mmCIF file of all heavy atoms in Angstrom:
data_model
loop_
_atom_site.group_PDB
_atom_site.id
_atom_site.type_symbol
_atom_site.label_atom_id
_atom_site.label_comp_id
_atom_site.label_asym_id
_atom_site.label_seq_id
_atom_site.Cartn_x
_atom_site.Cartn_y
_atom_site.Cartn_z
ATOM 1 N N ARG W 1000 125.874 -26.354 -14.399
ATOM 2 C CA ARG W 1000 127.331 -26.373 -14.350
ATOM 3 C C ARG W 1000 127.873 -27.686 -14.916
ATOM 4 O O ARG W 1000 128.825 -27.692 -15.708
ATOM 5 C CB ARG W 1000 127.791 -26.171 -12.896
ATOM 6 C CG ARG W 1000 129.304 -26.053 -12.740
ATOM 7 C CD ARG W 1000 129.709 -25.831 -11.303
ATOM 8 N NE ARG W 1000 129.327 -24.493 -10.830
ATOM 9 C CZ ARG W 1000 128.377 -24.252 -9.954
ATOM 10 N NH1 ARG W 1000 127.672 -25.258 -9.428
ATOM 11 N NH2 ARG W 1000 128.105 -23.012 -9.580
ATOM 12 N N GLU W 1001 127.236 -28.798 -14.558
ATOM 13 C CA GLU W 1001 127.691 -30.098 -15.059
ATOM 14 C C GLU W 1001 127.512 -30.200 -16.570
ATOM 15 O O GLU W 1001 128.389 -30.715 -17.278
ATOM 16 C CB GLU W 1001 126.934 -31.242 -14.379
ATOM 17 C CG GLU W 1001 127.393 -32.622 -14.848
ATOM 18 C CD GLU W 1001 126.613 -33.762 -14.225
ATOM 19 O OE1 GLU W 1001 125.744 -33.496 -13.362
ATOM 20 O OE2 GLU W 1001 126.865 -34.925 -14.613
ATOM 21 N N ALA W 1002 126.379 -29.701 -17.077
ATOM 22 C CA ALA W 1002 126.120 -29.769 -18.518
ATOM 23 C C ALA W 1002 127.164 -28.976 -19.301
ATOM 24 O O ALA W 1002 127.658 -29.429 -20.339
ATOM 25 C CB ALA W 1002 124.721 -29.251 -18.820
ATOM 26 N N ALA W 1003 127.502 -27.784 -18.812
ATOM 27 C CA ALA W 1003 128.499 -26.959 -19.489
ATOM 28 C C ALA W 1003 129.865 -27.628 -19.472
ATOM 29 O O ALA W 1003 130.580 -27.656 -20.485
ATOM 30 C CB ALA W 1003 128.574 -25.590 -18.820
ATOM 31 N N ARG W 1004 130.231 -28.211 -18.327
ATOM 32 C CA ARG W 1004 131.536 -28.860 -18.224
ATOM 33 C C ARG W 1004 131.597 -30.146 -19.051
ATOM 34 O O ARG W 1004 132.647 -30.504 -19.588
ATOM 35 C CB ARG W 1004 131.861 -29.159 -16.759
ATOM 36 C CG ARG W 1004 133.313 -29.551 -16.531
ATOM 37 C CD ARG W 1004 133.623 -29.748 -15.071
ATOM 38 N NE ARG W 1004 133.502 -28.522 -14.302
ATOM 39 C CZ ARG W 1004 134.413 -27.551 -14.277
ATOM 40 N NH1 ARG W 1004 135.505 -27.664 -15.014
ATOM 41 N NH2 ARG W 1004 134.226 -26.478 -13.541
ATOM 42 N N ALA W 1005 130.451 -30.804 -19.209
ATOM 43 C CA ALA W 1005 130.420 -32.069 -19.951
ATOM 44 C C ALA W 1005 130.532 -31.858 -21.455
ATOM 45 O O ALA W 1005 130.820 -32.807 -22.186
ATOM 46 C CB ALA W 1005 129.133 -32.822 -19.628
ATOM 47 N N GLY W 1006 130.291 -30.633 -21.925
ATOM 48 C CA GLY W 1006 130.457 -30.370 -23.352
ATOM 49 C C GLY W 1006 129.201 -29.975 -24.085
ATOM 50 O O GLY W 1006 129.183 -29.980 -25.326
ATOM 51 N N ALA W 1007 128.133 -29.610 -23.376
ATOM 52 C CA ALA W 1007 126.910 -29.169 -24.051
ATOM 53 C C ALA W 1007 127.164 -27.861 -24.789
ATOM 54 O O ALA W 1007 127.926 -27.002 -24.333
ATOM 55 C CB ALA W 1007 125.789 -28.978 -23.036
ATOM 56 N N ASP W 1008 126.523 -27.721 -25.937
ATOM 57 C CA ASP W 1008 126.598 -26.460 -26.677
ATOM 58 C C ASP W 1008 125.619 -25.435 -26.103
ATOM 59 O O ASP W 1008 125.896 -24.234 -26.121
ATOM 60 C CB ASP W 1008 126.255 -26.693 -28.151
ATOM 61 C CG ASP W 1008 127.212 -27.652 -28.826
ATOM 62 O OD1 ASP W 1008 128.422 -27.351 -28.848
ATOM 63 O OD2 ASP W 1008 126.759 -28.702 -29.323
ATOM 64 N N ILE W 1009 124.474 -25.932 -25.629
ATOM 65 C CA ILE W 1009 123.441 -25.073 -25.053
ATOM 66 C C ILE W 1009 122.945 -25.730 -23.773
ATOM 67 O O ILE W 1009 122.728 -26.953 -23.749
ATOM 68 C CB ILE W 1009 122.252 -24.889 -26.014
ATOM 69 C CG1 ILE W 1009 122.722 -24.409 -27.384
ATOM 70 C CG2 ILE W 1009 121.224 -23.920 -25.431
ATOM 71 C CD1 ILE W 1009 121.639 -24.451 -28.448
ATOM 72 N N VAL W 1010 122.763 -24.942 -22.748
ATOM 73 C CA VAL W 1010 122.184 -25.440 -21.507
ATOM 74 C C VAL W 1010 120.778 -24.856 -21.386
ATOM 75 O O VAL W 1010 120.596 -23.632 -21.367
ATOM 76 C CB VAL W 1010 123.033 -25.053 -20.280
ATOM 77 C CG1 VAL W 1010 122.390 -25.603 -19.004
ATOM 78 C CG2 VAL W 1010 124.457 -25.576 -20.428
ATOM 79 N N LEU W 1011 119.793 -25.753 -21.318
ATOM 80 C CA LEU W 1011 118.391 -25.348 -21.207
ATOM 81 C C LEU W 1011 118.031 -25.208 -19.737
ATOM 82 O O LEU W 1011 117.972 -26.195 -18.999
ATOM 83 C CB LEU W 1011 117.494 -26.387 -21.880
ATOM 84 C CG LEU W 1011 115.990 -26.134 -21.820
ATOM 85 C CD1 LEU W 1011 115.626 -24.863 -22.568
ATOM 86 C CD2 LEU W 1011 115.225 -27.326 -22.387
ATOM 87 N N LEU W 1012 117.786 -23.988 -19.309
ATOM 88 C CA LEU W 1012 117.475 -23.697 -17.914
ATOM 89 C C LEU W 1012 115.970 -23.767 -17.744
ATOM 90 O O LEU W 1012 115.240 -22.859 -18.156
ATOM 91 C CB LEU W 1012 118.032 -22.321 -17.541
ATOM 92 C CG LEU W 1012 119.523 -22.124 -17.892
ATOM 93 C CD1 LEU W 1012 119.950 -20.685 -17.624
ATOM 94 C CD2 LEU W 1012 120.400 -23.115 -17.125
ATOM 95 N N ASP W 1013 115.486 -24.844 -17.154
ATOM 96 C CA ASP W 1013 114.065 -25.159 -17.165
ATOM 97 C C ASP W 1013 113.378 -24.784 -15.857
ATOM 98 O O ASP W 1013 113.842 -25.147 -14.768
ATOM 99 C CB ASP W 1013 113.883 -26.663 -17.424
ATOM 100 C CG ASP W 1013 112.440 -27.026 -17.692
ATOM 101 O OD1 ASP W 1013 111.783 -26.316 -18.475
ATOM 102 O OD2 ASP W 1013 111.964 -28.025 -17.117
ATOM 103 N N ASN W 1014 112.276 -24.046 -15.978
ATOM 104 C CA ASN W 1014 111.429 -23.712 -14.835
ATOM 105 C C ASN W 1014 112.196 -23.045 -13.698
ATOM 106 O O ASN W 1014 112.051 -23.414 -12.532
ATOM 107 C CB ASN W 1014 110.720 -24.973 -14.319
ATOM 108 C CG ASN W 1014 109.605 -25.412 -15.248
ATOM 109 O OD1 ASN W 1014 108.692 -24.646 -15.553
ATOM 110 N ND2 ASN W 1014 109.678 -26.643 -15.705
ATOM 111 N N MET W 1015 113.008 -22.048 -14.029
ATOM 112 C CA MET W 1015 113.793 -21.345 -13.023
ATOM 113 C C MET W 1015 113.251 -19.931 -12.823
ATOM 114 O O MET W 1015 112.774 -19.307 -13.775
ATOM 115 C CB MET W 1015 115.263 -21.272 -13.445
ATOM 116 C CG MET W 1015 115.978 -22.608 -13.485
ATOM 117 S SD MET W 1015 117.760 -22.391 -13.811
ATOM 118 C CE MET W 1015 118.315 -24.094 -13.802
ATOM 119 N N SER W 1016 113.360 -19.437 -11.601
ATOM 120 C CA SER W 1016 113.028 -18.041 -11.322
ATOM 121 C C SER W 1016 114.110 -17.151 -11.930
ATOM 122 O O SER W 1016 115.180 -17.625 -12.337
ATOM 123 C CB SER W 1016 112.972 -17.812 -9.810
ATOM 124 O OG SER W 1016 114.262 -17.998 -9.245
ATOM 125 N N ASP W 1017 113.843 -15.850 -11.981
ATOM 126 C CA ASP W 1017 114.840 -14.933 -12.528
ATOM 127 C C ASP W 1017 116.133 -14.978 -11.724
ATOM 128 O O ASP W 1017 117.233 -14.919 -12.290
ATOM 129 C CB ASP W 1017 114.282 -13.498 -12.532
ATOM 130 C CG ASP W 1017 113.166 -13.315 -13.544
ATOM 131 O OD1 ASP W 1017 112.897 -14.257 -14.317
ATOM 132 O OD2 ASP W 1017 112.558 -12.224 -13.558
ATOM 133 N N GLU W 1018 116.012 -15.085 -10.408
ATOM 134 C CA GLU W 1018 117.212 -15.150 -9.563
ATOM 135 C C GLU W 1018 118.014 -16.407 -9.832
ATOM 136 O O GLU W 1018 119.255 -16.375 -9.925
ATOM 137 C CB GLU W 1018 116.811 -15.090 -8.085
ATOM 138 C CG GLU W 1018 116.187 -13.769 -7.640
ATOM 139 C CD GLU W 1018 114.763 -13.578 -8.145
ATOM 140 O OE1 GLU W 1018 114.110 -14.594 -8.499
ATOM 141 O OE2 GLU W 1018 114.308 -12.415 -8.196
ATOM 142 N N MET W 1019 117.315 -17.523 -9.990
ATOM 143 C CA MET W 1019 117.992 -18.782 -10.273
ATOM 144 C C MET W 1019 118.604 -18.766 -11.674
ATOM 145 O O MET W 1019 119.700 -19.305 -11.893
ATOM 146 C CB MET W 1019 117.006 -19.936 -10.128
ATOM 147 C CG MET W 1019 117.646 -21.307 -10.077
ATOM 148 S SD MET W 1019 116.393 -22.567 -9.691
ATOM 149 C CE MET W 1019 117.422 -24.048 -9.747
ATOM 150 N N LEU W 1020 117.893 -18.131 -12.623
ATOM 151 C CA LEU W 1020 118.453 -17.999 -13.972
ATOM 152 C C LEU W 1020 119.769 -17.245 -13.935
ATOM 153 O O LEU W 1020 120.743 -17.641 -14.588
ATOM 154 C CB LEU W 1020 117.462 -17.258 -14.878
ATOM 155 C CG LEU W 1020 116.259 -18.024 -15.406
ATOM 156 C CD1 LEU W 1020 115.328 -17.083 -16.159
ATOM 157 C CD2 LEU W 1020 116.688 -19.172 -16.320
ATOM 158 N N ARG W 1021 119.814 -16.167 -13.181
ATOM 159 C CA ARG W 1021 121.024 -15.356 -13.108
ATOM 160 C C ARG W 1021 122.188 -16.171 -12.544
ATOM 161 O O ARG W 1021 123.311 -16.126 -13.067
ATOM 162 C CB ARG W 1021 120.773 -14.120 -12.238
ATOM 163 C CG ARG W 1021 121.894 -13.105 -12.266
ATOM 164 C CD ARG W 1021 121.520 -11.839 -11.520
ATOM 165 N NE ARG W 1021 120.389 -11.151 -12.156
ATOM 166 C CZ ARG W 1021 119.155 -11.127 -11.671
ATOM 167 N NH1 ARG W 1021 118.876 -11.750 -10.528
ATOM 168 N NH2 ARG W 1021 118.195 -10.486 -12.296
ATOM 169 N N ALA W 1022 121.916 -16.955 -11.512
ATOM 170 C CA ALA W 1022 122.971 -17.786 -10.919
ATOM 171 C C ALA W 1022 123.430 -18.865 -11.898
ATOM 172 O O ALA W 1022 124.628 -19.153 -12.002
ATOM 173 C CB ALA W 1022 122.468 -18.417 -9.625
ATOM 174 N N ALA W 1023 122.484 -19.458 -12.618
ATOM 175 C CA ALA W 1023 122.829 -20.508 -13.571
ATOM 176 C C ALA W 1023 123.630 -19.951 -14.740
ATOM 177 O O ALA W 1023 124.598 -20.574 -15.206
ATOM 178 C CB ALA W 1023 121.561 -21.199 -14.074
ATOM 179 N N VAL W 1024 123.239 -18.785 -15.244
ATOM 180 C CA VAL W 1024 123.980 -18.152 -16.337
ATOM 181 C C VAL W 1024 125.409 -17.846 -15.901
ATOM 182 O O VAL W 1024 126.375 -18.100 -16.642
ATOM 183 C CB VAL W 1024 123.263 -16.868 -16.805
ATOM 184 C CG1 VAL W 1024 124.170 -16.051 -17.728
ATOM 185 C CG2 VAL W 1024 121.966 -17.220 -17.514
ATOM 186 N N ASP W 1025 125.572 -17.302 -14.703
ATOM 187 C CA ASP W 1025 126.916 -17.012 -14.193
ATOM 188 C C ASP W 1025 127.751 -18.282 -14.102
ATOM 189 O O ASP W 1025 128.944 -18.283 -14.452
ATOM 190 C CB ASP W 1025 126.824 -16.345 -12.820
ATOM 191 C CG ASP W 1025 126.275 -14.918 -12.886
ATOM 192 O OD1 ASP W 1025 126.260 -14.348 -13.997
ATOM 193 O OD2 ASP W 1025 125.860 -14.399 -11.832
ATOM 194 N N ALA W 1026 127.138 -19.368 -13.642
ATOM 195 C CA ALA W 1026 127.863 -20.632 -13.508
ATOM 196 C C ALA W 1026 128.287 -21.171 -14.877
ATOM 197 O O ALA W 1026 129.421 -21.628 -15.054
ATOM 198 C CB ALA W 1026 126.987 -21.659 -12.780
ATOM 199 N N VAL W 1027 127.364 -21.115 -15.845
ATOM 200 C CA VAL W 1027 127.685 -21.608 -17.189
ATOM 201 C C VAL W 1027 128.785 -20.772 -17.818
ATOM 202 O O VAL W 1027 129.715 -21.314 -18.449
ATOM 203 C CB VAL W 1027 126.416 -21.608 -18.072
ATOM 204 C CG1 VAL W 1027 126.770 -21.852 -19.537
ATOM 205 C CG2 VAL W 1027 125.436 -22.664 -17.586
ATOM 206 N N ARG W 1028 128.716 -19.479 -17.667
ATOM 207 C CA ARG W 1028 129.751 -18.611 -18.246
ATOM 208 C C ARG W 1028 131.108 -18.831 -17.592
ATOM 209 O O ARG W 1028 132.153 -18.772 -18.251
ATOM 210 C CB ARG W 1028 129.329 -17.149 -18.117
ATOM 211 C CG ARG W 1028 128.198 -16.774 -19.075
ATOM 212 C CD ARG W 1028 127.785 -15.331 -18.950
ATOM 213 N NE ARG W 1028 126.763 -14.997 -19.959
ATOM 214 C CZ ARG W 1028 126.097 -13.854 -19.987
ATOM 215 N NH1 ARG W 1028 126.331 -12.932 -19.048
ATOM 216 N NH2 ARG W 1028 125.198 -13.626 -20.926
ATOM 217 N N GLU W 1029 131.085 -19.101 -16.313
ATOM 218 C CA GLU W 1029 132.349 -19.394 -15.620
ATOM 219 C C GLU W 1029 132.986 -20.663 -16.177
ATOM 220 O O GLU W 1029 134.199 -20.694 -16.450
ATOM 221 C CB GLU W 1029 132.092 -19.547 -14.122
ATOM 222 C CG GLU W 1029 133.348 -19.861 -13.311
ATOM 223 C CD GLU W 1029 133.039 -20.063 -11.841
ATOM 224 O OE1 GLU W 1029 131.894 -19.830 -11.414
ATOM 225 O OE2 GLU W 1029 133.961 -20.501 -11.110
ATOM 226 N N ILE W 1030 132.192 -21.697 -16.364
ATOM 227 C CA ILE W 1030 132.710 -22.946 -16.930
ATOM 228 C C ILE W 1030 133.173 -22.713 -18.357
ATOM 229 O O ILE W 1030 134.226 -23.235 -18.776
ATOM 230 C CB ILE W 1030 131.625 -24.047 -16.900
ATOM 231 C CG1 ILE W 1030 131.210 -24.361 -15.469
ATOM 232 C CG2 ILE W 1030 132.119 -25.308 -17.605
ATOM 233 C CD1 ILE W 1030 132.312 -24.873 -14.580
ATOM 234 N N ALA W 1031 132.413 -21.942 -19.158
ATOM 235 C CA ALA W 1031 132.783 -21.682 -20.546
ATOM 236 C C ALA W 1031 134.144 -21.004 -20.629
ATOM 237 O O ALA W 1031 134.962 -21.318 -21.504
ATOM 238 C CB ALA W 1031 131.716 -20.827 -21.221
ATOM 239 N N ARG W 1032 134.409 -20.068 -19.713
ATOM 240 C CA ARG W 1032 135.720 -19.416 -19.699
ATOM 241 C C ARG W 1032 136.813 -20.408 -19.345
ATOM 242 O O ARG W 1032 137.908 -20.384 -19.928
ATOM 243 C CB ARG W 1032 135.713 -18.254 -18.701
ATOM 244 C CG ARG W 1032 134.930 -17.030 -19.183
ATOM 245 C CD ARG W 1032 135.202 -15.831 -18.294
ATOM 246 N NE ARG W 1032 134.713 -16.055 -16.923
ATOM 247 C CZ ARG W 1032 133.496 -15.715 -16.511
ATOM 248 N NH1 ARG W 1032 132.636 -15.161 -17.359
ATOM 249 N NH2 ARG W 1032 133.146 -15.920 -15.263
ATOM 250 N N GLU W 1033 136.531 -21.298 -18.419
ATOM 251 C CA GLU W 1033 137.532 -22.288 -18.007
ATOM 252 C C GLU W 1033 137.904 -23.233 -19.145
ATOM 253 O O GLU W 1033 139.083 -23.555 -19.339
ATOM 254 C CB GLU W 1033 136.997 -23.114 -16.833
ATOM 255 C CG GLU W 1033 136.901 -22.364 -15.523
ATOM 256 C CD GLU W 1033 136.346 -23.241 -14.413
ATOM 257 O OE1 GLU W 1033 136.249 -24.474 -14.635
ATOM 258 O OE2 GLU W 1033 136.003 -22.713 -13.350
ATOM 259 N N VAL W 1034 136.891 -23.676 -19.896
ATOM 260 C CA VAL W 1034 137.146 -24.664 -20.956
ATOM 261 C C VAL W 1034 137.459 -24.004 -22.290
ATOM 262 O O VAL W 1034 137.840 -24.696 -23.246
ATOM 263 C CB VAL W 1034 135.949 -25.626 -21.103
ATOM 264 C CG1 VAL W 1034 135.714 -26.388 -19.800
ATOM 265 C CG2 VAL W 1034 134.679 -24.885 -21.524
ATOM 266 N N GLY W 1035 137.298 -22.689 -22.373
ATOM 267 C CA GLY W 1035 137.682 -21.969 -23.577
ATOM 268 C C GLY W 1035 136.760 -22.167 -24.765
ATOM 269 O O GLY W 1035 137.243 -22.249 -25.904
ATOM 270 N N ARG W 1036 135.462 -22.222 -24.536
ATOM 271 C CA ARG W 1036 134.517 -22.340 -25.665
ATOM 272 C C ARG W 1036 133.204 -21.656 -25.283
ATOM 273 O O ARG W 1036 132.954 -21.360 -24.111
ATOM 274 C CB ARG W 1036 134.274 -23.807 -26.034
ATOM 275 C CG ARG W 1036 133.695 -24.648 -24.927
ATOM 276 C CD ARG W 1036 133.536 -26.108 -25.356
ATOM 277 N NE ARG W 1036 132.952 -26.899 -24.287
ATOM 278 C CZ ARG W 1036 131.652 -26.958 -24.025
ATOM 279 N NH1 ARG W 1036 130.808 -26.277 -24.801
ATOM 280 N NH2 ARG W 1036 131.193 -27.679 -23.032
ATOM 281 N N THR W 1037 132.373 -21.456 -26.285
ATOM 282 C CA THR W 1037 131.091 -20.792 -26.074
ATOM 283 C C THR W 1037 130.024 -21.805 -25.658
ATOM 284 O O THR W 1037 129.893 -22.859 -26.285
ATOM 285 C CB THR W 1037 130.630 -20.078 -27.363
ATOM 286 O OG1 THR W 1037 131.597 -19.084 -27.716
ATOM 287 C CG2 THR W 1037 129.271 -19.422 -27.157
ATOM 288 N N VAL W 1038 129.306 -21.491 -24.601
ATOM 289 C CA VAL W 1038 128.156 -22.293 -24.177
ATOM 290 C C VAL W 1038 126.979 -21.331 -24.013
ATOM 291 O O VAL W 1038 127.026 -20.416 -23.194
ATOM 292 C CB VAL W 1038 128.427 -23.030 -22.849
ATOM 293 C CG1 VAL W 1038 127.229 -23.925 -22.507
ATOM 294 C CG2 VAL W 1038 129.703 -23.846 -22.922
ATOM 295 N N LEU W 1039 125.946 -21.544 -24.797
ATOM 296 C CA LEU W 1039 124.776 -20.679 -24.729
ATOM 297 C C LEU W 1039 123.813 -21.138 -23.641
ATOM 298 O O LEU W 1039 123.818 -22.312 -23.260
ATOM 299 C CB LEU W 1039 124.047 -20.664 -26.079
ATOM 300 C CG LEU W 1039 124.820 -20.126 -27.274
ATOM 301 C CD1 LEU W 1039 123.975 -20.249 -28.535
ATOM 302 C CD2 LEU W 1039 125.261 -18.686 -27.045
ATOM 303 N N THR W 1040 122.989 -20.226 -23.185
ATOM 304 C CA THR W 1040 121.952 -20.564 -22.216
ATOM 305 C C THR W 1040 120.582 -20.247 -22.806
ATOM 306 O O THR W 1040 120.415 -19.282 -23.553
ATOM 307 C CB THR W 1040 122.134 -19.788 -20.901
ATOM 308 O OG1 THR W 1040 122.208 -18.385 -21.175
ATOM 309 C CG2 THR W 1040 123.403 -20.240 -20.186
ATOM 310 N N GLU W 1041 119.613 -21.079 -22.445
ATOM 311 C CA GLU W 1041 118.245 -20.913 -22.933
ATOM 312 C C GLU W 1041 117.274 -21.118 -21.786
ATOM 313 O O GLU W 1041 117.380 -22.094 -21.042
ATOM 314 C CB GLU W 1041 117.963 -21.929 -24.042
ATOM 315 C CG GLU W 1041 116.543 -21.899 -24.579
ATOM 316 C CD GLU W 1041 116.308 -22.974 -25.619
ATOM 317 O OE1 GLU W 1041 117.248 -23.328 -26.365
ATOM 318 O OE2 GLU W 1041 115.162 -23.485 -25.677
ATOM 319 N N ALA W 1042 116.352 -20.190 -21.626
ATOM 320 C CA ALA W 1042 115.325 -20.309 -20.595
ATOM 321 C C ALA W 1042 114.049 -20.868 -21.206
ATOM 322 O O ALA W 1042 113.674 -20.524 -22.325
ATOM 323 C CB ALA W 1042 115.046 -18.949 -19.962
ATOM 324 N N SER W 1043 113.387 -21.741 -20.460
ATOM 325 C CA SER W 1043 112.134 -22.327 -20.927
ATOM 326 C C SER W 1043 111.325 -22.765 -19.721
ATOM 327 O O SER W 1043 111.868 -23.024 -18.648
ATOM 328 C CB SER W 1043 112.410 -23.522 -21.850
ATOM 329 O OG SER W 1043 111.215 -24.014 -22.403
#
């Protein structure tokens, strides 16, 4: 959430379970809607 709000173009979701990935993606998308720009997510 902090990375998306700070202005990252991509947020790298590192070593997360599928459940945690889903929560992180939802959080990033929520911030992206608030700031009005696209923020991609990447799992690794």
Side-chain angles (χ1 to χ4, degrees):
R1000 185 179 290 110
E1001 181 182 356
R1004 193 176 295 282
D1008 299 301
I1009 307 169
V1010 180
L1011 178 64
L1012 309 174
D1013 190 45
N1014 286 304
M1015 293 186 180
S1016 65
D1017 291 354
E1018 294 74 21
M1019 194 173 178
L1020 283 174
R1021 189 173 296 106
V1024 168
D1025 290 344
V1027 169
R1028 287 180 176 171
E1029 180 182 353
I1030 298 299
R1032 286 192 296 269
E1033 289 179 11
V1034 299
R1036 60 182 181 82
T1037 299
V1038 184
L1039 298 177
T1040 54
E1041 177 183 328
S1043 185

